[in-house]
Amino acid sequence: MIKLIFLDGQEKSFTPGTTPEDVAKSISPNLAKKSVAAYLDDELYDLNRPMEKGGTFKLVVESDEEAFGILNHSSAHLLAQAVKKLHPSAMFGVGPQTDEGFYYDIALDHSITEAELAEIEKGMRQLSQEAHPMVRSEKTREEALAFFKNDPFKKELISAIPEGDKITFYTQGDFVDLCRGGHVGNTSKIKHFKLLSLAGAYFRGDSSRPMMQRIYGTSWFSKEALEAHLNLLEERKERDHRKLGKELKIFMLSSEVGQGLATWLPNGYAVRKVLEDYVYELERQAGYLHVSTPVLGSKKLYQTSGHWDHYQENMFPIMEKDDETFVLRPMSCPHHMTIFQSDLRSYRDLPIRYAEIVTQHRYEASGALTGLERVRAMTLTDAHIFVRPDQIKEEVINAYHLIETAIADLGLEVDYLEFATRDDSKDKFHDNDALWNQAEAILQSVLDEAQIPYKEVPGEAAFYGPKIDFQVRTAMNRVITMSTVQLDFLLPERFDLTYINASGQKERPVVIHRGLISTWERLMSILLEQYKGAFPFWLAPVQILLIPVNNNAHEAYTKEIYQTLMHAGFRAKLDLSDEKMGYKIRDAQQQKIPYTFVIGDDEVKNQTITYRQFGSPEQTHILVKDMVDIFKKEAEKKSRKK
RNA sequence: GCCGGAAUAGCUCAGCAGGUAGAGCAACUGACUUGUAAUCAGUAGGUCACGGGUUCGAUUCCUGUUUCCGGCACCA
């Protein structure tokens, strides 16, 4: 007999070979229905996998977080089985679950079309109805390789499994796949799914390898949950910053101007200017000194910094004129290094924090360009902080707090931090081990001492040093690097930066690279999606629209109020068109203007204004004399959640 | 850059199994002068992304290019 210890501490004996499903059924049929898999000690078991030993036993039920992944992983297998049935020559790469569903990579001579997705989906439904058990088996490496002897993809995946790890196969009907599991035990458990899209994907994520066809899908435990998810996907389309940016006339991307080159329209620039002013003031108060450097730089400057060696592929081609070679700057660090260099520095001067609202150009791969999210000309607030070694920690923490403030003021939230370190790919990183070890140790200790949780990502560092990236999850459920703090011992050396220490000796400063809120372009894309185009008051391109009830009778008073608002620094707009009032209000709502004033006889008589807020029909009356104060307070709140 | 798809009026889209295009909104003109999400009528607007081919004839079929979209790779 084997002994299982349940969640509540109860122990129960079962005959060896009992499956988790048997156990679940013995507890309650309802529980068995909701079970997806089980844990025996720390090992994930399929519902139908016989248990030959005892241990702590925990069922994974539909409502558990990991159940979704298990279902979707199983759904990927169902997809593969259906594809294999339609195309017996198909071979497969990987087929994992994702945050929101699953995919499987397929190698097939024939190009799968959108129309065929429905056919494949039908095949999946049939296989689900046929209720094939998904049976696990263990194989030796030799057996596994022999089984897939004609499949170079699976053979390679088998070879990549570390020595000593179990190699397991899953069989459902006549379909056999290499897989570590766990699975839902039977294809009949997979009922509510949809295939979503087709894409290309390199085998093992390596662009030098063959491209496979990837099918994306999503799978849920109920019809309602599936529909809810499909609705969410529809809603996301409504939030897409490219759609909203066009509708609200925020920006344009025109092939006439050039691929990946965004043009900011008046509405977009109004928002951007608020952000620029906000950031400037935030930095000024934090002791940053603002500078301005040219958009062009000598190629030598970038050779000195090392950017030329690492990124010339991603830079626009060089320009040669009068024996000098220029590049369109892709980065501002080298420029700021020269500013530090330009004067004799004392240890008393440090830290020196240079900030700049800087436009830079990068030759991004054409396929990477996406709306405002990825462009070839971008403007951002960039900063470089020059510190003594003893000031590193404090300044990293200062930068951390500044970033926290900015992100909170924008109404966004940091999802998690990434601590990006180097790995052993030598050509990606500069080769001074001592500097690397020092820099990584310092950043690590800052994170640890401040007790900030983070995810370490080896190999993601910049070539000049490790970094802490602030990852924000957008309204589209994409994770984007919003801010960054990078520690750099290399560029000070490359530029031979020095300051005079207390004993009169030259010493090397350390540079902290700080990115505050991504680029204006990317930030705009995130904000548009976050607010679905309905900007909070302080950012809105037009904050207040004024509508007179009768143009003739109320124009003068409305204009007076308009002037008061404009002089007080607000962005107001007057609608004196011949349209009906209802039309004007609808128009204001469609433009997502935060406040709409309606001004008629009552307002003139009482020296008031009547407003409604975006999205609400409620009417509020306030005295004109209180108006400016009320809206100034509203603007000061920024987008803070609390 | 790679795989796949798309491109019709300012916008959103319909249409064409090959016979040079249509709606709604927007724009313009006129009437209406209004108290909280679309007043009515009229007018104008298109080398059907661009180049080449097949054809008596191409927006439609084939092909190349460009741009965009879904992904992959890349992202200092």
Side-chain angles (χ1 to χ4, degrees), chain A residues 84 164 187 340 370 439 493 594 619:
Chain A
K84 186 83 180 171
T187 58
F340 185 89
T370 309
E493 206 167 278
Q619 293 171 41

Side-chain angles (χ1 to χ4, degrees), chain A residues 165-445:
Chain A
D165 281 19
K166 277 182 189 159
I167 297 177
T168 53
F169 276 49
Y170 277 81
T171 306
Q172 49 195 80
D174 49 11
F175 178 71
V176 185
D177 200 358
L178 168 76
C179 182
R180 79 163 72 85
H183 286 297
V184 292
N186 193 297
T187 58
S188 65
K189 290 238 174 193
I190 308 164
K191 283 193 188 126
H192 310 285
F193 54 85
K194 184 162 172 60
L195 298 183
L196 298 172
S197 62
L198 276 165
Y202 297 109
F203 181 54
R204 305 194 77 193
D206 181 343
S207 57
S208 67
R209 307 298 303 272
M211 182 154 272
M212 307 184 87
Q213 301 183 64
R214 177 173 292 182
I215 297 178
Y216 282 93
T218 188
S219 188
W220 298 79
F221 288 111
S222 70
K223 193 169 166 233
E224 293 70 36
L226 171 65
E227 274 168 11
H229 181 70
L230 296 178
N231 275 338
L232 179 73
L233 295 182
E234 283 306 307
E235 275 169 36
R236 274 191 204 153
K237 280 188 205 157
E238 294 301 308
R239 284 186 182 262
D240 191 307
H241 77 275
R242 290 164 295 195
K243 181 176 153 75
L244 291 167
K246 193 182 261 182
E247 282 171 7
L248 302 172
K249 301 187 199 305
I250 300 290
F251 69 96
M252 63 175 197
L253 286 159
S254 145
S255 53
E256 215 173 331
V257 174
Q259 202 181 17
L261 302 173
T263 297
W264 291 72
L265 302 171
N267 282 343
Y269 187 71
V271 180
R272 169 169 161 174
K273 185 67 169 61
V274 175
L275 292 168
E276 283 180 358
D277 293 349
Y278 161 74
V279 157
Y280 181 91
E281 191 52 26
L282 189 71
E283 287 174 337
R284 189 191 64 77
Q285 285 181 28
Y288 286 75
L289 304 171
H290 289 87
V291 296
S292 180
T293 64
V295 102
L296 232 51
S298 164
K299 180 181 143 189
K300 282 187 207 143
L301 181 66
Y302 287 88
Q303 283 173 319
T304 305
S305 70
H307 286 90
W308 178 254
D309 280 347
H310 283 269
Y311 295 109
Q312 55 176 295
E313 294 299 309
N314 296 304
M315 287 161 73
F316 278 96
I318 53 169
M319 287 163 270
E320 287 174 314
K321 218 67 188 157
D322 300 336
D323 302 327
E324 215 179 336
T325 306
F326 301 96
V327 296
L328 214 39
R329 85 171 149 202
M331 246 295 132
S332 56
C333 352
H335 293 267
H336 290 185
M337 300 299 138
T338 64
I339 299 175
F340 185 89
Q341 235 175 8
S342 69
D343 203 350
L344 191 63
R345 309 292 177 181
S346 149
Y347 72 100
R348 297 169 195 273
D349 297 333
L350 302 183
I352 294 176
R353 309 178 189 91
Y354 292 134
E356 178 174 6
I357 290 180
V358 49
T359 299
Q360 50 197 39
H361 295 79
R362 295 181 183 177
Y363 177 76
E364 302 281 6
S366 60
L369 302 173
T370 309
L372 281 187
E373 218 172 282
R374 198 78 180 271
V375 287
R376 287 178 171 166
M378 64 218 89
T379 307
L380 70 153
T381 175
D382 201 8
H384 297 90
I385 306 161
F386 299 79
V387 298
R388 305 189 304 255
D390 63 290
Q391 294 170 321
I392 295 173
K393 275 190 192 176
E394 193 185 342
E395 279 305 306
V396 168
I397 289 166
N398 285 345
Y400 176 84
H401 288 313
L402 195 76
I403 289 168
E404 269 194 322
T405 303
I407 289 179
D409 280 346
L410 289 165
L412 303 171
E413 271 170 60
V414 176
D415 199 56
Y416 61 94
L417 295 189
E418 275 186 6
F419 175 35
T421 54
R422 71 175 167 163
D423 59 13
D424 47 15
S425 41
K426 291 224 162 9
D427 49 336
K428 266 171 80 180
F429 307 107
H430 77 80
D431 59 0
N432 188 325
D433 282 339
L435 294 186
W436 269 106
N437 294 339
Q438 199 182 352
E440 289 185 357
I442 290 171
L443 272 196
Q444 173 118 39
S445 73

Side-chain angles (χ1 to χ4, degrees), chain A residues 547-558 561 581 597-610 619 621-622 624:
Chain A
I547 302 174
V549 169
N550 178 304
N551 281 354
N552 293 326
H554 312 122
E555 182 177 335
Y557 181 71
T558 309
I561 291 168
M581 214 175 80
F597 289 9
V598 173
I599 290 153
D601 289 343
D602 294 348
E603 285 74 17
V604 175
K605 193 175 93 198
N606 302 324
Q607 290 293 297
T608 58
I609 54 108
T610 298
Q619 293 171 41
H621 312 278
I622 57 169
V624 170

